[in-house]
Amino acid sequence: MNITVVGTGYVGLVTGACFSEFGVNVTCVDKVVEKIRALENGEIPIYEPGLEELVNKNRRTGRLTFTTDLSKAIQDSLVIFIAVGTPPTEDGSADLTFVEEVADAVAENLNGYKVVVTKSTVPMGTGERIKRLINENRKGRFSFSVASNPEFLREGSAIEDFMHPNRVVIGAEDDQAIAILKDLYRPLYLIETPFVITNVVTAEMIKYASNAFLATKISFINEIADLCERVGADVHDVARGMGLDNRIGRKFLHPGPGYGGSCFPKDTNAIAKIAREHGCELRIVNTVIEVNERRPRIMVEKIKQACGNLDGKTIAFLGLSFKPNTDDIRESPALKIIEALQTLGVKIKVFDPAAMPVARDEYRYLIYSADEYQAIAESDALVLATEWNQFRQLNLDLVKSLLKEPIIVDLRNIYDPEEMRKRGFRYFCVGR
């Protein structure tokens, strides 16, 4: 089977590489010439563990190709996955400009039956919108189907999530499209992956509802962490005690500086906007957004509590990406905290294993370090902002000797408070 994936961003590139690993012939399309040239040369534009090896392996076999020629890719394929960006507009809604461009291109190049599938996160009703656009503009009378196949990929473990998913959601209105998409995912039947087959708008809703609920768990445990600090409880034990209840589950009950990245902030705002447009107020989601927007300010206050007067201080930040194992700094809590501290006269030294090249152009006022210890040296305090594995095993004796004052503000609760205080650190964490 030949398929096309339009968009070589995070979702598109992972989707294309993983389908090619399934034995499918995949053409990945992007209109940015430089990006396609780089991919043809084996250069991966994003940081994702295992992706470079997977892309280059399947590129060498010929199952994975890259092009800027969208028209030919559509004509040569049975299935076209739309994996383009849907960035937020000023009012929080999703911008569907790129999605509509692909729909127009499908209409222009429809030369036989096609299945047009949205992988991008799109508002409910987008499938119907795509169908209407193709119907209004198609050349000839070839038939087509529109489907939704939302992605549930976690940055940092996207390949594992694609190859061993919790579920595959397929939203389509006709049996032919469903059969074709199930055939694409046939390798997953061998590992008994659950499939959810539904209509298009329900599949679109599943994606938004899933992300909104996960964001809710994060905001909830962050508020519980604040209460734990006031009453003397340990939020880690609270979270474990909650999470062992199968009705609640252990995932996403990790307190910290709030959620970030390209999905949760955008998707919670988008579903809240969609609800308002339909006369339905999502009060829980609105509160989740409010709690998360307030979270960096609470972390700044924690840093103030640790350091006292901040004006003229130098603080080392370990971590810039919104989570470990990615270079994605979009909506990163670490950078929101850094921006607030910078306005208070703080000099910021930083180290991140992957995100510094991405951050340099936008955050030129930061002092970028070669490693974690160079960032820590001669700093008044250390802030642990992203829980990269290499930050879990710091040489604490060296850290203490390099800091001007033995102050650590651990926003990810990487270390044990009692042990850190025994070592002579003034140690501040979240909810403990």
Side-chain angles (χ1 to χ4, degrees), residues 14 26 66 113 143 206 236 262 280 295 327 368 391 415:
V14 171
V26 182
F66 301 96
Y113 176 75
S143 63
I206 288 170
H236 277 212
S262 63
C280 178
R295 199 72 189 156
D327 61 354
Y368 294 91
F391 301 158
Y415 290 97

Side-chain angles (χ1 to χ4, degrees), residues 8 16 62-63 94 116 137 139 143 153 178 201 222 271 280 295-296 306 315 320 325 342 353 358 379 425 431:
T8 59
R63 287 194 300 267
V116 183
N137 299 294
K139 306 293 195 268
S143 63
L153 306 176
I178 292 169
V201 70
N222 280 337
I271 194 173
C280 178
R295 199 72 189 156
I315 295 180
L320 294 174
N325 297 321
Q342 196 267 337
V358 183
S379 294
F425 287 100

